[in-house]
């Protein structure tokens, strides 16, 4: 059983440190999909730098994380959500930059990407990183561990989504990692290929399923 860990929506001062400590104590490398607006502060930047220095990967998880990019009012707004975060990640980016969309309740739907955002990711050579496990730590910060373990047991290579948020995985992450380790899990930093609909800018067959062709026109990308 292989397990790849990812932590979304941070960095969060006071929380991301705890996640980094748990990983460091066990020598596990992960990926942090950061929200651009959370990289504006000196604390946010310092946490991202610490994560990178400790061997973790830093990815792009939109600037504001408010409206899924497939539901943005315009392609320009959707692309800006990626670009602004790209600029804030700066030299912490991977050689092949990483993007994770959000929305659709964790399901694979065209809500995840506007066509123009998809075009930007492809042109810029991104890998787009989905998931195959969401234990829902963000709405069950104490009870998610059993679900997370079950999802890992049920497949050969799990890419799990956790959150370095105040309501998230931090309280029970150490226990989760120790129980996985006791069951023989091998922690790897690479991603299962079937979770990568875009690989180094190259669209895989499943990419079309997460791209909306055209404007839905119902909401701006950022709340006014
Ligand atoms: Zn998210």
């Amino acid at each position: 059983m292989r397990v790849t860990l990812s932590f979304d929506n941070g960095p969060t001062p006071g929380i991301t440190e705890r996640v980094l400590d748990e990983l460091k104590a066990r020598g596990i490398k992960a990926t942090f999909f950061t929200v651009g607006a959370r990289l504006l502060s000196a604390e946010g930047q310092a946490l991202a730098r610490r994560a990178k220095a400790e061997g973790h990967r830093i990815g792009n998880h939109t600037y504001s994380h408010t409206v899924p990019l497939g539901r943005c009012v315009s392609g320009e707004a959707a692309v800006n959500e990626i670009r602004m975060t790209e600029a804030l990640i700066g030299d912490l980016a991977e050689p092949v930059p990483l993007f994770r969309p959000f929305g659709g309740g964790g399901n694979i739907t065209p809500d995840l990407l506007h066509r123009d955002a998809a075009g930007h990711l492809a042109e810029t050579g991104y890998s787009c990183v989905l998931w195959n496990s969401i234990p829902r730590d963000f709405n069950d910060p104490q009870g998610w561990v059993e679900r997370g373990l079950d999802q890992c047991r049920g497949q050969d290579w799990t890419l799990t989504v956790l959150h370095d948020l105040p309501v998230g995985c931090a309280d029970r992450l150490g226990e989760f990692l120790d129980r996985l380790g006791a069951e023989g899990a091998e922690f790897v930093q690479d991603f299962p290929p079937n979770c990568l609909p875009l690989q180094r800018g190259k669209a895989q067959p499943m990419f079309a399923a997460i791209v909306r062709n055209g404007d839905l026109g119902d909401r701006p990308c950022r709340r006014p």
Side-chain angles (χ1 to χ4, degrees), residues 1 7 13 21 25 29 36 45 49 51 55 68 73 76 86 90 113 123 135-137 141 168 175 197-198 200 204 224:
M1 145 165 96
F7 298 91
D21 289 347
K29 310 292 186 212
Q45 280 287 337
R49 289 195 178 275
V73 70
E76 189 186 5
E86 217 162 70
L113 276 183
E123 285 159 18
R136 308 191 71 81
D137 59 323
E175 178 196 345
L198 187 73
R200 297 169 177 262
Q204 307 302 302

mmCIF file of all heavy atoms in Angstrom, residues 1 7 13 21 25 29 36 45 49 51 55 68 73 76 86 90 113 123 135-137 141 168 175 197-198 200 204 224:
data_model
loop_
_atom_site.group_PDB
_atom_site.id
_atom_site.type_symbol
_atom_site.label_atom_id
_atom_site.label_comp_id
_atom_site.label_asym_id
_atom_site.label_seq_id
_atom_site.Cartn_x
_atom_site.Cartn_y
_atom_site.Cartn_z
ATOM 1 N N MET A 1 0.855 -1.199 0.000
ATOM 2 C CA MET A 1 0.000 0.000 0.000
ATOM 3 C C MET A 1 0.883 1.238 0.000
ATOM 4 O O MET A 1 1.677 1.466 0.888
ATOM 5 C CB MET A 1 -0.919 -0.100 1.229
ATOM 6 C CG MET A 1 -1.293 1.137 1.955
ATOM 7 S SD MET A 1 -2.696 0.862 3.074
ATOM 8 C CE MET A 1 -1.859 0.552 4.616
ATOM 9 N N PHE A 7 -1.594 18.477 1.415
ATOM 10 C CA PHE A 7 -2.226 19.365 2.397
ATOM 11 C C PHE A 7 -2.656 20.632 1.670
ATOM 12 O O PHE A 7 -1.817 21.339 1.095
ATOM 13 C CB PHE A 7 -1.252 19.686 3.535
ATOM 14 C CG PHE A 7 -0.842 18.449 4.287
ATOM 15 C CD1 PHE A 7 0.292 17.740 3.903
ATOM 16 C CD2 PHE A 7 -1.614 17.965 5.326
ATOM 17 C CE1 PHE A 7 0.658 16.572 4.567
ATOM 18 C CE2 PHE A 7 -1.263 16.802 5.998
ATOM 19 C CZ PHE A 7 -0.123 16.105 5.617
ATOM 20 N N PRO A 13 -0.701 30.018 9.799
ATOM 21 C CA PRO A 13 0.166 30.158 10.972
ATOM 22 C C PRO A 13 -0.457 29.482 12.201
ATOM 23 O O PRO A 13 -1.653 29.626 12.457
ATOM 24 C CB PRO A 13 0.259 31.682 11.160
ATOM 25 C CG PRO A 13 0.041 32.238 9.784
ATOM 26 C CD PRO A 13 -0.971 31.320 9.147
ATOM 27 N N ASP A 21 5.869 19.579 11.629
ATOM 28 C CA ASP A 21 6.556 18.854 12.706
ATOM 29 C C ASP A 21 6.239 17.359 12.663
ATOM 30 O O ASP A 21 7.130 16.518 12.839
ATOM 31 C CB ASP A 21 6.142 19.418 14.077
ATOM 32 C CG ASP A 21 6.721 20.808 14.338
ATOM 33 O OD1 ASP A 21 7.633 21.232 13.596
ATOM 34 O OD2 ASP A 21 6.244 21.471 15.285
ATOM 35 N N ALA A 25 9.070 14.512 11.953
ATOM 36 C CA ALA A 25 9.357 13.496 12.969
ATOM 37 C C ALA A 25 9.384 12.091 12.367
ATOM 38 O O ALA A 25 10.017 11.188 12.918
ATOM 39 C CB ALA A 25 8.308 13.567 14.072
ATOM 40 N N LYS A 29 7.774 13.078 3.198
ATOM 41 C CA LYS A 29 7.686 14.253 2.327
ATOM 42 C C LYS A 29 6.310 14.297 1.665
ATOM 43 O O LYS A 29 5.798 13.268 1.210
ATOM 44 C CB LYS A 29 8.738 14.215 1.227
ATOM 45 C CG LYS A 29 10.154 13.930 1.713
ATOM 46 C CD LYS A 29 10.739 15.037 2.548
ATOM 47 C CE LYS A 29 12.200 14.749 2.861
ATOM 48 N NZ LYS A 29 12.578 15.299 4.178
ATOM 49 N N GLY A 36 -3.060 31.413 -2.738
ATOM 50 C CA GLY A 36 -2.245 32.609 -2.955
ATOM 51 C C GLY A 36 -2.434 33.670 -1.889
ATOM 52 O O GLY A 36 -1.461 34.234 -1.369
ATOM 53 N N GLN A 45 4.556 33.292 3.928
ATOM 54 C CA GLN A 45 5.754 33.058 3.112
ATOM 55 C C GLN A 45 6.772 32.206 3.872
ATOM 56 O O GLN A 45 7.379 31.295 3.314
ATOM 57 C CB GLN A 45 6.388 34.402 2.723
ATOM 58 C CG GLN A 45 5.707 35.101 1.557
ATOM 59 C CD GLN A 45 5.980 34.426 0.210
ATOM 60 O OE1 GLN A 45 6.972 33.712 0.043
ATOM 61 N NE2 GLN A 45 5.082 34.633 -0.741
ATOM 62 N N ARG A 49 8.303 28.597 2.834
ATOM 63 C CA ARG A 49 9.762 28.407 2.703
ATOM 64 C C ARG A 49 10.249 27.269 3.591
ATOM 65 O O ARG A 49 11.097 26.475 3.188
ATOM 66 C CB ARG A 49 10.513 29.700 3.055
ATOM 67 C CG ARG A 49 10.331 30.727 2.017
ATOM 68 C CD ARG A 49 11.261 31.911 2.018
ATOM 69 N NE ARG A 49 10.853 32.704 0.863
ATOM 70 C CZ ARG A 49 11.268 32.494 -0.382
ATOM 71 N NH1 ARG A 49 12.171 31.567 -0.631
ATOM 72 N NH2 ARG A 49 10.809 33.214 -1.379
ATOM 73 N N ALA A 51 8.485 24.696 4.521
ATOM 74 C CA ALA A 51 8.028 23.435 3.911
ATOM 75 C C ALA A 51 8.962 23.023 2.777
ATOM 76 O O ALA A 51 9.394 21.872 2.689
ATOM 77 C CB ALA A 51 6.588 23.591 3.412
ATOM 78 N N GLY A 55 11.874 19.711 2.256
ATOM 79 C CA GLY A 55 11.748 18.691 1.222
ATOM 80 C C GLY A 55 10.349 18.500 0.673
ATOM 81 O O GLY A 55 10.116 17.601 -0.140
ATOM 82 N N PRO A 68 -15.108 27.831 -7.652
ATOM 83 C CA PRO A 68 -14.375 26.861 -8.487
ATOM 84 C C PRO A 68 -14.115 27.452 -9.878
ATOM 85 O O PRO A 68 -14.981 28.137 -10.431
ATOM 86 C CB PRO A 68 -15.329 25.673 -8.563
ATOM 87 C CG PRO A 68 -16.174 25.788 -7.329
ATOM 88 C CD PRO A 68 -16.338 27.267 -7.084
ATOM 89 N N VAL A 73 -16.795 33.803 -13.704
ATOM 90 C CA VAL A 73 -17.574 34.614 -14.630
ATOM 91 C C VAL A 73 -16.848 34.807 -15.959
ATOM 92 O O VAL A 73 -17.463 34.987 -17.002
ATOM 93 C CB VAL A 73 -17.936 35.974 -13.983
ATOM 94 C CG1 VAL A 73 -16.715 36.851 -13.832
ATOM 95 C CG2 VAL A 73 -19.043 36.670 -14.730
ATOM 96 N N GLU A 76 -10.686 35.227 -17.991
ATOM 97 C CA GLU A 76 -9.633 36.082 -17.469
ATOM 98 C C GLU A 76 -9.569 35.979 -15.936
ATOM 99 O O GLU A 76 -8.489 35.872 -15.343
ATOM 100 C CB GLU A 76 -9.899 37.526 -17.895
ATOM 101 C CG GLU A 76 -8.749 38.446 -17.572
ATOM 102 C CD GLU A 76 -9.086 39.905 -17.858
ATOM 103 O OE1 GLU A 76 -10.242 40.211 -18.225
ATOM 104 O OE2 GLU A 76 -8.182 40.730 -17.680
ATOM 105 N N GLU A 86 0.782 31.875 -8.714
ATOM 106 C CA GLU A 86 2.065 31.542 -9.332
ATOM 107 C C GLU A 86 3.132 32.571 -8.940
ATOM 108 O O GLU A 86 4.248 32.224 -8.535
ATOM 109 C CB GLU A 86 1.846 31.669 -10.846
ATOM 110 C CG GLU A 86 2.500 30.718 -11.750
ATOM 111 C CD GLU A 86 1.755 30.796 -13.084
ATOM 112 O OE1 GLU A 86 1.849 31.811 -13.805
ATOM 113 O OE2 GLU A 86 1.044 29.820 -13.382
ATOM 114 N N GLY A 90 6.457 31.975 -6.567
ATOM 115 C CA GLY A 90 7.779 32.393 -7.040
ATOM 116 C C GLY A 90 8.757 31.237 -7.151
ATOM 117 O O GLY A 90 8.447 30.197 -7.758
ATOM 118 N N LEU A 113 -12.505 23.491 -13.763
ATOM 119 C CA LEU A 113 -11.629 24.372 -14.568
ATOM 120 C C LEU A 113 -12.378 25.056 -15.705
ATOM 121 O O LEU A 113 -13.068 24.403 -16.488
ATOM 122 C CB LEU A 113 -10.489 23.558 -15.188
ATOM 123 C CG LEU A 113 -9.242 23.269 -14.362
ATOM 124 C CD1 LEU A 113 -8.242 22.505 -15.242
ATOM 125 C CD2 LEU A 113 -8.595 24.545 -13.834
ATOM 126 N N GLU A 123 -0.281 25.574 -21.372
ATOM 127 C CA GLU A 123 0.791 26.388 -21.988
ATOM 128 C C GLU A 123 1.974 26.585 -21.042
ATOM 129 O O GLU A 123 3.112 26.710 -21.478
ATOM 130 C CB GLU A 123 0.248 27.784 -22.353
ATOM 131 C CG GLU A 123 -0.645 27.797 -23.568
ATOM 132 C CD GLU A 123 -1.539 29.040 -23.583
ATOM 133 O OE1 GLU A 123 -1.230 30.020 -22.873
ATOM 134 O OE2 GLU A 123 -2.563 28.989 -24.302
ATOM 135 N N PRO A 135 -10.707 12.243 3.091
ATOM 136 C CA PRO A 135 -11.295 11.763 4.362
ATOM 137 C C PRO A 135 -12.161 12.802 5.080
ATOM 138 O O PRO A 135 -12.739 12.509 6.103
ATOM 139 C CB PRO A 135 -10.070 11.414 5.214
ATOM 140 C CG PRO A 135 -8.887 11.461 4.317
ATOM 141 C CD PRO A 135 -9.243 12.347 3.164
ATOM 142 N N ARG A 136 -12.243 14.010 4.544
ATOM 143 C CA ARG A 136 -13.113 15.069 5.073
ATOM 144 C C ARG A 136 -12.701 15.520 6.473
ATOM 145 O O ARG A 136 -13.550 15.705 7.356
ATOM 146 C CB ARG A 136 -14.584 14.644 5.021
ATOM 147 C CG ARG A 136 -15.032 14.145 3.649
ATOM 148 C CD ARG A 136 -16.526 13.974 3.526
ATOM 149 N NE ARG A 136 -17.227 15.255 3.495
ATOM 150 C CZ ARG A 136 -17.344 16.022 2.406
ATOM 151 N NH1 ARG A 136 -16.823 15.622 1.269
ATOM 152 N NH2 ARG A 136 -17.968 17.161 2.475
ATOM 153 N N ASP A 137 -11.426 15.746 6.635
ATOM 154 C CA ASP A 137 -10.932 16.310 7.901
ATOM 155 C C ASP A 137 -11.521 17.685 8.177
ATOM 156 O O ASP A 137 -11.696 18.076 9.327
ATOM 157 C CB ASP A 137 -9.389 16.394 7.872
ATOM 158 C CG ASP A 137 -8.866 17.252 6.721
ATOM 159 O OD1 ASP A 137 -9.463 17.201 5.622
ATOM 160 O OD2 ASP A 137 -7.867 17.959 6.912
ATOM 161 N N PRO A 141 -12.873 17.026 12.118
ATOM 162 C CA PRO A 141 -11.445 17.063 12.458
ATOM 163 C C PRO A 141 -11.026 16.012 13.479
ATOM 164 O O PRO A 141 -9.829 15.765 13.642
ATOM 165 C CB PRO A 141 -11.234 18.480 12.998
ATOM 166 C CG PRO A 141 -12.576 18.952 13.401
ATOM 167 C CD PRO A 141 -13.565 18.272 12.495
ATOM 168 N N GLY A 168 -9.156 21.042 10.640
ATOM 169 C CA GLY A 168 -8.484 20.217 9.641
ATOM 170 C C GLY A 168 -7.850 19.004 10.297
ATOM 171 O O GLY A 168 -8.356 18.461 11.270
ATOM 172 N N GLU A 175 -1.348 10.397 14.672
ATOM 173 C CA GLU A 175 -1.968 9.071 14.854
ATOM 174 C C GLU A 175 -2.238 8.406 13.496
ATOM 175 O O GLU A 175 -1.970 7.211 13.308
ATOM 176 C CB GLU A 175 -3.285 9.243 15.619
ATOM 177 C CG GLU A 175 -4.033 7.938 15.817
ATOM 178 C CD GLU A 175 -5.493 8.160 16.221
ATOM 179 O OE1 GLU A 175 -5.855 9.286 16.628
ATOM 180 O OE2 GLU A 175 -6.266 7.177 16.109
ATOM 181 N N PRO A 197 -4.556 14.491 -14.613
ATOM 182 C CA PRO A 197 -5.199 14.653 -15.928
ATOM 183 C C PRO A 197 -4.390 15.525 -16.880
ATOM 184 O O PRO A 197 -4.603 15.473 -18.086
ATOM 185 C CB PRO A 197 -6.532 15.320 -15.592
ATOM 186 C CG PRO A 197 -6.331 15.952 -14.267
ATOM 187 C CD PRO A 197 -5.309 15.124 -13.528
ATOM 188 N N LEU A 198 -3.477 16.328 -16.317
ATOM 189 C CA LEU A 198 -2.555 17.109 -17.139
ATOM 190 C C LEU A 198 -1.168 16.809 -16.607
ATOM 191 O O LEU A 198 -0.907 16.996 -15.409
ATOM 192 C CB LEU A 198 -2.875 18.608 -16.986
ATOM 193 C CG LEU A 198 -2.129 19.586 -17.889
ATOM 194 C CD1 LEU A 198 -2.651 19.486 -19.325
ATOM 195 C CD2 LEU A 198 -2.297 21.028 -17.392
ATOM 196 N N ARG A 200 2.802 17.630 -17.117
ATOM 197 C CA ARG A 200 3.793 18.515 -17.761
ATOM 198 C C ARG A 200 3.179 19.240 -18.950
ATOM 199 O O ARG A 200 3.784 19.335 -20.023
ATOM 200 C CB ARG A 200 5.003 17.694 -18.233
ATOM 201 C CG ARG A 200 5.742 17.029 -17.092
ATOM 202 C CD ARG A 200 6.753 16.014 -17.600
ATOM 203 N NE ARG A 200 7.495 15.437 -16.487
ATOM 204 C CZ ARG A 200 8.707 15.842 -16.093
ATOM 205 N NH1 ARG A 200 9.328 16.801 -16.732
ATOM 206 N NH2 ARG A 200 9.292 15.284 -15.061
ATOM 207 N N GLN A 204 -4.199 14.477 -20.597
ATOM 208 C CA GLN A 204 -4.516 13.053 -20.631
ATOM 209 C C GLN A 204 -6.014 12.911 -20.924
ATOM 210 O O GLN A 204 -6.765 13.884 -20.802
ATOM 211 C CB GLN A 204 -4.149 12.421 -19.285
ATOM 212 C CG GLN A 204 -2.714 12.692 -18.852
ATOM 213 C CD GLN A 204 -1.706 12.194 -19.871
ATOM 214 O OE1 GLN A 204 -1.674 11.018 -20.212
ATOM 215 N NE2 GLN A 204 -0.869 13.099 -20.380
ATOM 216 N N PRO A 224 -16.858 40.121 -3.921
ATOM 217 C CA PRO A 224 -16.559 41.562 -3.895
ATOM 218 C C PRO A 224 -16.126 41.999 -2.481
ATOM 219 O O PRO A 224 -16.525 41.394 -1.529
ATOM 220 C CB PRO A 224 -17.869 42.234 -4.270
ATOM 221 C CG PRO A 224 -18.829 41.177 -4.632
ATOM 222 C CD PRO A 224 -18.258 39.851 -4.258
#
